[in-house]
Amino acid sequence: MATKFRHFILPLRSYSTLSNPPGPLVKYKSLVKEGKLQHDPFQEGVASQLQNLLQRLDQYEKQMEQYHVNLSNWEKNRENERRRLLTEEAELHQKEEDWWKRLNSKLSDRWVSRKRPKNMEAGVGQWVSYLKREKKLDSAVGQRPIAPTSPKGLYIYGNVGSGKTMLMDMFYSATEGIVKHRRRYHFHEAMLKINEHMHKIWKNQVEEKPLKSSISSWIMSLPFDTKAKEWLAAEERYNEEVHMKNILPAVADKFFLDQEEDEKGASILCFDEIQTVDVFAIVALSGILSKLLNSGTIIVATSNRAPEDLNEAGMQREIFQKLVRKLEKHCENVLIGSEIDYRRFIAQRSMNQIEGENNRSPRIGSYFWPIEMEAINKFEEKWHDVTSRLGGRIVSNTISVMFGRTLEVPESCEGVARFTFEYLCGRPLGAADYIAVAENYHTVFISDIPMMSMRIRDKARRFITLIDELYNRHCCLCCLASSSVDELFQGTEEGTLFDLESFQFETETEGAKLRRDVLAEGNVGSGGGPVGITSILSGQEEMFAFQRAVSRLIEMQTPLYLDGISNFHPFFQRQHYKLLSESSI
């Protein structure tokens, strides 16, 4: 069933108190038995495969722990040997420099300037010297340790509402306490993280620093003169440039920020709604996922499409094909073949239960329509009731957004916020803003939501991104809309909403240079002209996104979803951890 697994279970981190968290198959069968899920053979098959993967993780974690110990020792030995070689070279250069100084006292300056060797000048012959040094290091220290063969992850694809995210979340929850390094990202959040890390790395590379600050402390402590130290500093900078020429592998290392020097082990990346919405996404995901997979990270991903069908427009075909081959090598492709949208099924069953109990047909959840006096009054009553229970003090607020930005929240009250559709979707906001709203507010009121048509397609796309982020963090959503959920994206007399135009991913960064460089070069390095970002989403992809939004809006009104908000939203989890911390003092 497509309702997210975390709607029914303990908060993810609460599993740390349990010795044996249930695996995905065990949990799936339990929920079916309890009547909370309808049995689906496709879902049970995927749950079984995820269970098998889970059972292999304990041994793999131990193998990766040993691998990281070996890797750490190898890196330390190689760095020590590299510095020793550099010091020997610097000493040789200084002796040659001293010899030419003595000669200079006997010969004319003109002859010296014509014949004097240039090996003390920073940057001269660095590529050749770098390669020679690397060859010596390979001979002295040996090749880099090879990571153990990882169990194959899963790439789960299928129709909207078929249960992909639910099953992935079951698996992710069950890895608590088994695998040290775990991350779960939705596509929007992952792309924003990629942009954020790229910008930080790029900024560090291009910052001009004085010579003294750029020379490492180990160089400063050597008994050499300034010329020799300048040479060493130039070699150090060149070494960094070689390794950072392509930023994407470095960004991949930032995906698991909790990796400590003394805590090495396996890595799990759960990636929800993987897409290739533009050329940047293709290049970035190819570079980052390839690095993660090569280093032993296990990936469990969900998508509406099979890997080979993600890029029907055929852009950056060579890079895309490398990504597909990498996914096929490291992941089993699993189709959930159900045609049922289980979110809608849950909503209908919930409504039937309420009708049976109350002998009437009430509106479930907090979606009010159309924008007429009765619905407006109910929407306002809902706002008043919720805020009154929280003290009734309505204030404006400012929340932090990624990339150093902020967002003004016009009306808020203790974890509850209120906006108009135009305020959130009619302005140039994007996923970073919506993530900030979803992280800070467990209940969000949005009024004056129109029916979507081509005339406001950009607003519609922003609204879909907003729904994704509110859903991903299990927010309560109260809407005042012009139409029912099913009719919201059907278009108006001005025209339909579905067309073959792009559904371009909106990103937040302080400048477009990084994305332009990726498009121009297939990596992130220096240079690159101002190439526009070309989206590759078709009308069919756009329809997938709209169908997903409808499906999620329906689920967000169900009692099962609403009952889980106090357990699963970050606002309440932060309160829970705070109480635990205070009680332990």
Side-chain angles (χ1 to χ4, degrees):
M1 183 171 291
T3 296
K4 282 196 170 184
F5 177 63
R6 62 175 183 267
H7 299 172
F8 303 111
I9 61 173
L10 296 170
L12 301 183
R13 292 191 178 274
S14 67
Y15 273 135
S16 60
T17 60
L18 302 179
S19 57
N20 293 302
L25 181 60
V26 174
K27 192 63 186 179
Y28 179 82
K29 288 183 175 180
S30 174
L31 292 171
V32 170
K33 185 176 181 179
E34 293 169 12
K36 294 180 178 178
L37 297 181
Q38 176 173 298
H39 179 260
D40 184 296
F42 296 104
Q43 292 180 358
E44 185 173 352
V46 174
S48 179
Q49 288 181 273
L50 289 169
Q51 184 81 23
N52 291 336
L53 173 58
L54 182 71
Q55 291 170 352
R56 299 180 63 188
L57 290 184
D58 188 54
Q59 181 62 31
Y60 183 61
E61 171 76 10
K62 294 175 182 176
Q63 292 174 346
M64 286 299 290
E65 285 177 353
Q66 185 58 52
Y67 161 72
H68 281 298
V69 169
N70 297 338
L71 179 62
S72 178
N73 291 334
W74 177 84
E75 288 174 340
K76 289 177 182 176
N77 292 337
R78 190 179 179 89
E79 179 60 17
N80 290 336
E81 181 65 15
R82 188 182 70 83
R83 291 189 180 187
R84 189 187 68 79
L85 291 175
L86 273 173
T87 304
E88 284 184 355
E89 291 179 50
E91 187 175 3
L92 177 62
H93 288 315
Q94 179 157 305
K95 287 179 180 178
E96 291 178 350
E97 175 76 7
D98 293 340
W99 183 81
W100 279 102
K101 283 180 180 178
R102 291 194 298 272
L103 185 63
N104 186 34
S105 65
K106 300 177 181 180
L107 301 175
S108 69
D109 292 340
R110 183 178 178 184
W111 189 90
V112 172
S113 63
R114 185 172 68 249
K115 298 294 185 179
R116 188 176 187 271
K118 301 288 182 73
N119 56 13
M120 286 300 293
E121 294 183 13
V124 176
Q126 285 181 318
W127 176 239
V128 175
S129 63
Y130 172 81
L131 290 179
K132 287 181 178 178
R133 201 175 299 124
E134 289 294 300
K135 189 174 181 180
K136 289 180 181 178
L137 288 172
D138 288 341
S139 176
V141 183
Q143 297 293 327
R144 181 187 182 91
I146 299 174
T149 302
S150 64
K152 275 196 169 186
L154 265 70
Y155 181 101
I156 309 167
Y157 66 101
N159 292 326
V160 169
S162 57
K164 305 181 295 294
T165 298
M166 176 197 71
L167 292 166
M168 183 191 73
D169 283 347
M170 285 182 177
F171 171 77
Y172 183 78
S173 299
T175 61
E176 177 78 20
I178 298 177
V179 177
K180 291 187 181 74
H181 310 299
R182 313 154 57 243
R183 283 291 183 271
R184 183 201 185 280
Y185 288 113
H186 182 268
F187 173 75
H188 295 312
E189 185 179 14
M191 297 305 291
L192 286 168
K193 288 289 184 184
I194 289 170
N195 273 278
E196 182 182 37
H197 292 316
M198 283 172 59
H199 179 75
K200 288 179 179 178
I201 294 170
W202 181 278
K203 194 172 182 180
N204 290 337
Q205 282 185 266
V206 301
E207 279 183 346
E208 294 292 335
K209 297 181 180 179
L211 176 63
K212 286 187 177 180
S213 65
S214 66
I215 300 180
S216 343
S217 58
W218 77 274
I219 295 177
M220 293 293 291
S221 65
L222 294 174
F224 296 141
D225 60 22
T226 302
K227 284 282 187 180
K229 289 179 180 179
E230 286 178 355
W231 179 86
L232 276 171
E235 292 294 321
E236 282 283 68
R237 285 194 293 267
Y238 187 78
N239 181 64
E240 292 176 3
E241 288 171 6
V242 169
H243 290 284
M244 298 295 287
K245 187 175 182 181
N246 188 338
I247 287 179
L248 297 178
V251 172
D253 293 336
K254 301 293 185 181
F255 259 57
F256 294 92
L257 297 178
D258 61 348
Q259 290 192 6
E260 303 293 340
E261 287 297 321
D262 58 345
E263 271 202 4
K264 297 299 185 181
S267 300
I268 295 286
L269 175 62
C270 289
F271 202 142
D272 196 24
E273 302 289 350
I274 192 170
Q275 305 170 48
T276 53
V277 296
D278 57 27
V279 178
F280 175 79
I282 291 176
V283 175
L285 290 179
S286 179
I288 289 169
L289 294 184
S290 293
K291 171 66 186 300
L292 291 174
L293 290 168
N294 286 339
S295 61
T297 296
I298 297 171
I299 292 179
V300 174
T302 72
S303 181
N304 291 317
R305 292 185 177 276
E308 63 271 16
D309 296 331
L310 286 171
N311 180 18
E312 291 189 329
M315 301 186 74
Q316 291 289 334
R317 186 180 299 276
E318 184 177 348
I319 295 175
F320 175 75
Q321 287 302 321
K322 287 181 180 178
L323 172 61
V324 171
R325 288 194 295 270
K326 187 67 67 173
L327 287 172
E328 288 177 345
K329 179 180 178 181
H330 292 274
C331 297
E332 297 285 353
N333 292 339
V334 183
L335 170 66
I336 294 188
S338 176
E339 297 293 329
I340 301 172
D341 181 346
Y342 282 104
R343 295 190 183 102
R344 191 179 294 273
F345 175 84
I346 293 172
Q348 185 58 53
R349 186 170 66 178
S350 297
M351 183 174 286
N352 292 340
Q353 289 174 347
I354 295 173
E355 288 176 355
E357 293 170 2
N358 300 327
N359 196 28
R360 56 192 179 90
S361 180
R363 197 189 316 273
I364 64 171
S366 302
Y367 187 95
F368 303 104
W369 64 277
I371 305 178
E372 295 175 355
M373 190 56 65
E374 181 182 359
I376 293 172
N377 288 339
K378 288 182 177 180
F379 181 81
E380 294 295 337
E381 288 172 9
K382 186 80 173 181
W383 167 255
H384 178 74
D385 290 344
V386 171
T387 55
S388 294
R389 290 198 300 269
L390 297 171
R393 184 169 178 265
I394 312 300
V395 298
S396 62
N397 195 15
T398 301
I399 58 176
S400 298
V401 182
M402 293 173 69
F403 307 106
R405 296 191 296 104
T406 59
L407 178 68
E408 297 297 322
V409 179
E411 297 179 275
S412 66
C413 177
E414 298 296 328
V416 179
R418 176 169 172 166
F419 307 90
T420 64
F421 174 86
E422 280 297 317
Y423 188 85
L424 285 179
C425 304
R427 303 187 301 148
L429 304 182
D433 302 274
Y434 304 144
I435 288 172
V437 170
E439 285 281 351
N440 283 278
Y441 299 102
H442 57 79
T443 301
V444 177
F445 285 72
I446 304 176
S447 63
D448 305 316
I449 302 171
M451 293 180 67
M452 313 292 170
S453 70
M454 284 302 299
R455 186 176 65 85
I456 61 167
R457 62 184 180 274
D458 289 339
K459 297 178 183 179
R461 291 161 183 162
R462 292 190 189 107
F463 184 66
I464 289 168
T465 302
L466 171 62
I467 297 303
D468 281 342
E469 299 311 329
L470 295 176
Y471 179 84
N472 286 330
R473 284 157 184 79
H474 210 124
C475 295
C476 175
L477 176 61
C478 186
C479 298
L480 176 60
S482 297
S483 69
S484 67
V485 174
D486 281 321
E487 295 174 339
L488 199 59
F489 297 102
Q490 295 302 313
T492 68
E493 53 190 33
E494 297 169 341
T496 64
L497 185 56
F498 301 118
D499 73 340
L500 295 179
E501 294 206 12
S502 68
F503 178 19
Q504 185 163 312
F505 174 73
E506 298 176 4
T507 185
E508 285 72 31
T509 185
E510 294 178 16
K513 180 175 177 58
L514 293 176
R515 291 175 67 93
R516 290 200 302 267
D517 290 333
V518 170
L519 298 179
E521 301 180 4
N523 62 36
V524 180
S526 60
V531 182
I533 300 169
T534 306
S535 175
I536 59 174
L537 279 183
S538 66
Q540 183 61 43
E541 292 290 348
E542 208 165 26
M543 191 173 293
F544 269 135
F546 299 143
Q547 289 173 345
R548 185 180 69 246
V550 169
S551 181
R552 288 180 169 180
L553 277 170
I554 289 172
E555 182 189 346
M556 292 170 83
Q557 310 309 313
T558 63
L560 285 173
Y561 179 93
L562 296 172
D563 289 345
I565 291 168
S566 60
N567 285 328
F568 308 119
H569 189 273
F571 180 90
F572 295 109
Q573 291 196 345
R574 287 192 296 269
Q575 288 187 337
H576 176 67
Y577 299 142
K578 183 180 179 181
L579 289 173
L580 287 178
S581 299
E582 291 174 350
S583 64
S584 63
I585 296 176

